[in-house]
Amino acid sequence: MSLGTKVRLARLFSHPSGNLFGGAVDHFVGYGDVRKGGLADLPGALARVMAGKPDYVSIQPGTARHLWPQYAGKASLVIQAGCFTPDDRISELIATPEDAVRAGADALAVAIPVRGATEGKYIRWLTDSVNAAARYGMPVVAHIYPRDFTDGAKIVFTPDEIAYAARIGYESGVDVIKIGYTGDFESFRETVRTCPVPVVIAGGPKTDTLLGALQQTADAIRAGARGAVVGRNLWGHGDPQKAALAFRGVIHDGLSAQDALARAGA
């Protein structure tokens, strides 16, 4: 690992807890109706996320170009390169490590789906990105989403599939792996234990309550995860700043979900 990679990773995990609290505002083509929901006003959504003081934010390169200058230095910037829909209607790699360097980013994120006939192409996205990033000392954060095609194309979070996603990540040489939480503590703990690079959890589908999202985050941290990168359960909440305070309580202060929620007043 180069010095540049070590320095940038240290910035991502700079909190004294050793964990990472990230905000994801990188949903792009997978979001749906852009007139509705928490991302209808993208500049506003980013402002709400930043008010929660995350350690890093992952956004698309175009979003960074237009919206990030006012936030420079307030959190680590992570450029999202992956652009896909689960059914492969859209499947593009839209940024390179060089793009991330030009943006002043601390990491390149590459979101990929796995399983299905096109899996090999996505693994190639990841390995090519890792090889290119090494020339710049740019860490690669893999966001890996297993799919099930039994009834259409759906993202799944079963223990076997999440373990497979983690394996794809570290065998591809990435520096950090973002995967969904399985909901099964023991299986997730074993997946994290046998993974030689830091694992953070995805915020996942929006939960019915903030307490539910905090509980799965707390369970994942107890299982060995090094933090969480939260999207819908942050900007989709009625008060993202309070939601962020609660997530920070779980991730950085080791609070229970209930105590973190109470402290945040959410």
Side-chain angles (χ1 to χ4, degrees), residues 97-143:
E98 185 177 356
D99 294 328
V101 170
R102 283 199 298 266
D106 284 324
L108 181 77
V110 182
I112 66 166
V114 292
R115 300 299 196 191
T118 56
E119 177 181 52
K121 177 182 72 172
Y122 292 113
I123 294 173
R124 173 60 67 182
W125 278 14
L126 207 49
T127 55
D128 284 352
S129 296
V130 167
N131 291 333
R135 296 196 292 272
Y136 301 99
M138 179 63 64
V140 175
V141 182
H143 299 190

Side-chain angles (χ1 to χ4, degrees), residues 13 15 32 39 69 73 84 89 98 119 131 146 158 193 248-249:
F13 291 93
H15 192 275
L39 291 181
F84 72 89
R89 178 180 61 85
E98 185 177 356
E119 177 181 52
N131 291 333
T158 62
R193 185 189 70 79
R248 285 206 310 273

Side-chain angles (χ1 to χ4, degrees), residues 39-113:
L39 291 181
D41 172 8
L42 189 59
L46 181 57
R48 292 191 296 274
V49 168
M50 287 301 296
K53 299 180 180 179
D55 302 318
Y56 92 51
V57 173
S58 58
I59 52 179
Q60 264 76 24
T63 306
R65 188 175 302 115
H66 293 301
L67 301 180
W68 191 253
Q70 64 183 304
Y71 303 113
K74 297 179 180 178
S76 287
L77 171 64
V78 178
I79 295 294
Q80 177 60 262
C83 176
F84 72 89
T85 54
D87 61 0
D88 290 326
R89 178 180 61 85
I90 296 173
S91 173
E92 302 291 343
L93 195 60
I94 62 171
T96 66
E98 185 177 356
D99 294 328
V101 170
R102 283 199 298 266
D106 284 324
L108 181 77
V110 182
I112 66 166

Side-chain angles (χ1 to χ4, degrees), residues 118-253:
T118 56
E119 177 181 52
K121 177 182 72 172
Y122 292 113
I123 294 173
R124 173 60 67 182
W125 278 14
L126 207 49
T127 55
D128 284 352
S129 296
V130 167
N131 291 333
R135 296 196 292 272
Y136 301 99
M138 179 63 64
V140 175
V141 182
H143 299 190
I144 307 180
Y145 302 94
R147 297 177 290 184
D148 181 88
F149 293 91
T150 304
D151 180 20
K154 297 178 181 177
I155 303 297
V156 294
F157 301 93
T158 62
D160 287 349
E161 292 302 324
I162 291 301
Y164 179 72
R167 178 64 63 89
I168 291 293
Y170 74 73
E171 290 204 23
S172 297
V174 305
D175 301 287
V176 181
I177 298 171
K178 172 186 162 185
I179 49 178
Y181 181 59
T182 61
D184 179 79
F185 180 83
E186 291 300 333
S187 69
F188 193 78
R189 180 167 64 176
E190 183 65 12
T191 293
V192 174
R193 185 189 70 79
T194 57
C195 184
V197 301
V199 170
V200 299
I201 67 163
K206 189 174 186 305
T207 53
D208 292 335
T209 65
L210 180 57
L211 179 62
L214 293 169
Q215 187 61 60
Q216 71 177 11
T217 302
D219 289 345
I221 297 293
R222 286 196 304 113
R226 293 281 304 279
V229 181
V230 188
R232 290 178 179 88
N233 288 308
L234 190 57
W235 45 254
H237 189 267
D239 189 330
Q241 196 164 353
K242 288 184 178 180
L245 179 60
F247 276 108
R248 285 206 310 273
V250 168
I251 294 167
H252 287 324
D253 300 327

